[in-house]
Amino acid sequence: MRRWGTALAAMVLAGGALAATAGAAGAVTPAAAKSAAKAAACETGWGSGEKTAQPAGHTPLGSIRTGRHACYDRMVFDVKGATAADRVGYRVAYVDTLYQDGSGEEIPVGGGAILDIHVAAPSYDPGTGGESYPGRARKPLPGVDVTGYQTFRDTRFGASFEGETQVGLGVRARLPFRVFQTDGRVVVDVAHSWNAVR
């Protein structure tokens, strides 16, 4: 009888452990699902080839700013007075060396790869000649600090020449990037990797 009681107690304990394990597994499932959702693949099919858009005019550049996102680092060119209907031209491509527009002088840019960014928005007002953006050739972009960014490593103002502003963006490696315009802004996103996850 004592053996039967011991066996019964062992079965009860085993059943309780099994139920606790099942309960724990059930509790982990939503967290696992949330973790899986967070680890969803980032969009990286942008490629690393040149991206261009033809301008409709040359509206002055107002500011340049950057931000960090889950899948990419972002640079935004704010174009004064431009709206979603105004086409702001751009040309963005990887280069081995950044050469300043106009002078052809080499501008050193830190990082494993360099994006040469041209935006059809001069750093001055074409009507008055007054400065609209305080960039200085060969210097880091004013007010932009990319310390701690996952992809961005360095920024350099190239020039404002013939209605375009040139910026050198140093990135960790030759990574996929996209460029688009949205309501008076030209946006450059550079992915954290070719197979990034959030």
Side-chain angles (χ1 to χ4, degrees):
M1 186 74 158
R2 184 165 197 163
R3 278 190 212 165
W4 176 250
T6 303
L8 184 60
M11 286 177 17
V12 167
L13 285 174
L18 184 59
T21 303
V28 171
T29 302
K34 186 175 182 181
S35 177
K38 279 188 177 179
C42 294
E43 182 182 352
T44 58
W46 307 327
S48 61
E50 182 179 60
K51 316 289 195 287
T52 61
Q54 293 302 311
H58 296 276
T59 308
L61 177 65
S63 66
I64 301 174
R65 53 198 165 86
T66 59
R68 292 182 279 187
H69 295 265
C71 298
Y72 51 83
D73 291 346
R74 170 170 284 182
M75 179 173 279
V76 179
F77 295 78
D78 291 306
V79 182
K80 289 184 172 185
T83 66
D86 299 319
R87 291 179 51 101
V88 179
Y90 56 80
R91 185 176 77 255
V92 183
Y94 280 106
V95 294
D96 294 328
T97 305
L98 183 70
Y99 294 103
Q100 183 182 32
D101 282 354
S103 74
E105 290 182 21
E106 181 178 337
I107 299 176
V109 183
I114 303 167
L115 275 174
D116 187 3
I117 303 171
H118 296 256
V119 176
S123 64
Y124 56 87
D125 185 324
T128 66
E131 182 179 85
S132 65
Y133 178 75
R136 297 294 177 257
R138 309 173 68 83
K139 301 292 185 189
L141 298 178
V144 173
D145 182 4
V146 295
T147 304
Y149 278 56
Q150 194 165 337
T151 298
F152 291 174
R153 293 293 182 263
D154 192 14
T155 64
R156 295 290 157 170
F157 188 82
S160 194
F161 182 71
E162 295 185 347
E164 290 188 349
T165 293
Q166 177 192 29
V167 168
L169 175 60
V171 297
R172 192 179 75 251
R174 191 180 179 110
L175 295 162
F177 72 95
R178 67 179 173 183
V179 186
F180 62 93
Q181 180 189 342
T182 174
D183 199 23
R185 296 175 183 89
V186 173
V187 178
V188 180
D189 292 335
V190 184
H192 293 323
S193 74
W194 282 93
N195 298 304
V197 293
R198 292 174 200 200

